[in-house]
Amino acid sequence: MVDPHVGTAVFPRSLIERLSHERCCVLLELLHYARKADTNDDVKAVLIRTQTTLRLGPGLCGVARVSPDGQFLGFSNVVNMNYSDAWLERYWSRKYSAIDPVIQAVLRENGTFHWQEVFSAADQTNPLLKEFLEGAASYGLADGVTVSRFSADRQLVAFISFGFQDAATKQECIDVVSYFGDAMCPALLRCAEASSLSLQDRIDRLTLRDMIVLMWMRAGKSNSDIAGILGVGERGVRFHAEQILMKLDVSSRTQAVAIAEKYQLPSVYTHK
């Protein structure tokens, strides 16, 4: 919505007037840090602070890569705030992105998308969609809000998604996240464009220990299994698993394993 008198987006006065003094101050603080965010670490810190201080539900934010014909190519620079790893792996392995109504809306246009409204308008006869919706609900993701903004060349689209923690404050959450998204999505795009690396560059960032852990991940081993095989603590394995996802710029073990298999990353064995 544009105000013809000032030629820019209308100030959300009704939202600000509804917020308590404390929440208004919190929102202004978050907007300040979002506009100053220049690194992925800055962005992650702001998003985590947003979730906790605004008392939002599970969050997933990042950037989606888009083909010239508008098809989803994958996620990058993802910040996961309490989405279940099991759900993310299921989402990727079942290719839910092809039928997820919110992702499809995000790939079409900039906007604020209330999940239940988008889900209700989708083809409910599609069995895979029904499976997706039931799965999302089982992980506490039956309803929420997503805000998205495209890059100038439309090759990237930033998104901010939060589930609802309290149904009673649903509309306030939609309005707050929508307003906050105007500052946060550009920050996500800035950092994604500044840190974009070729896949080979990303693979080259893996350490020897990362490669060993990834090898056992390819073999279907859990963190606990890998810790036992390597004779180290599970916390150390979990650290390397997180480093692998960050360095390869993926959001799940399934995606990391897919890269390892596609590019035939070498198996690394150590002799004790």
Side-chain angles (χ1 to χ4, degrees):
M1 184 174 173
V2 174
D3 185 336
H5 300 293
V6 296
T8 188
V10 172
F11 180 73
R13 180 176 297 277
S14 62
L15 167 63
I16 301 303
E17 289 175 344
R18 292 200 312 272
L19 295 177
S20 66
H21 176 75
E22 179 186 359
R23 281 175 74 79
C24 190
C25 289
V26 166
L27 179 57
L28 290 173
E29 181 182 6
L30 293 170
L31 289 169
H32 169 81
Y33 287 121
R35 291 192 169 97
K36 297 291 185 181
D38 287 323
T39 69
N40 289 325
D41 286 342
D42 291 343
V43 165
K44 183 176 180 179
V46 175
L47 288 169
I48 292 173
R49 190 180 186 121
T50 300
Q51 183 191 38
T52 55
T53 57
L54 293 180
R55 298 186 293 278
L56 299 170
L60 191 75
C61 309
V63 174
R65 298 186 296 276
V66 186
S67 69
D69 60 349
Q71 299 301 306
F72 172 74
L73 297 178
F75 293 116
S76 66
N77 294 59
V78 171
V79 179
N80 178 14
M81 294 163 287
N82 305 120
Y83 265 49
S84 164
D85 289 340
W87 171 245
L88 290 176
E89 291 192 22
R90 177 174 165 184
Y91 187 100
W92 187 259
S93 64
R94 295 289 292 156
K95 297 181 171 58
Y96 285 150
S97 60
I99 52 86
D100 178 349
V102 173
I103 282 292
Q104 295 306 309
V106 163
L107 294 175
R108 287 194 300 270
E109 59 185 338
N110 294 335
T112 297
F113 306 101
H114 176 196
W115 298 353
Q116 275 298 321
E117 290 182 2
V118 179
F119 293 161
S120 298
D123 179 9
Q124 301 293 324
T125 63
N126 184 323
L128 188 59
L129 175 61
K130 182 178 179 181
E131 175 189 308
F132 162 74
L133 294 176
E134 290 175 349
S138 72
Y139 284 97
L141 300 169
D143 199 8
V145 59
T146 294
V147 179
S148 67
R149 299 290 184 272
F150 275 96
S151 61
D153 60 10
R154 294 185 69 86
Q155 293 182 6
L156 301 173
V157 58
F159 66 92
I160 299 172
S161 294
F162 286 103
F164 295 140
Q165 189 167 357
D166 182 359
T169 61
K170 180 188 299 186
Q171 189 57 53
E172 180 180 297
C173 287
I174 292 173
D175 294 341
V176 167
V177 173
S178 178
Y179 186 43
F180 173 71
D182 283 336
M184 199 69 245
C185 284
L188 283 161
L189 290 171
R190 280 198 306 274
C191 294
E193 290 164 350
S195 65
S196 62
L197 295 170
S198 71
L199 182 56
Q200 188 57 56
D201 288 333
R202 283 180 267 152
I203 291 171
D204 289 345
R205 297 163 71 191
L206 297 175
T207 65
L208 176 61
R209 180 62 85 175
D210 292 338
M211 294 285 281
I212 293 170
V213 170
L214 181 55
M215 175 190 72
W216 290 114
M217 286 166 59
R218 287 177 67 186
K221 303 298 184 183
S222 67
N223 288 349
S224 178
D225 294 334
I226 298 171
I229 292 168
L230 300 181
V232 299
E234 188 173 346
R235 177 181 290 184
V237 174
R238 190 180 307 117
F239 168 80
H240 284 286
E242 291 172 353
Q243 288 293 300
I244 289 166
L245 300 190
M246 182 188 72
K247 291 174 181 178
L248 292 181
D249 200 8
V250 296
S251 58
S252 72
R253 293 166 74 102
T254 303
Q255 289 176 274
V257 167
I259 288 175
E261 292 179 346
K262 181 176 180 179
Y263 291 88
Q264 292 297 299
L265 300 191
S267 296
V268 182
Y269 295 91
T270 57
H271 175 70
K272 293 188 176 181

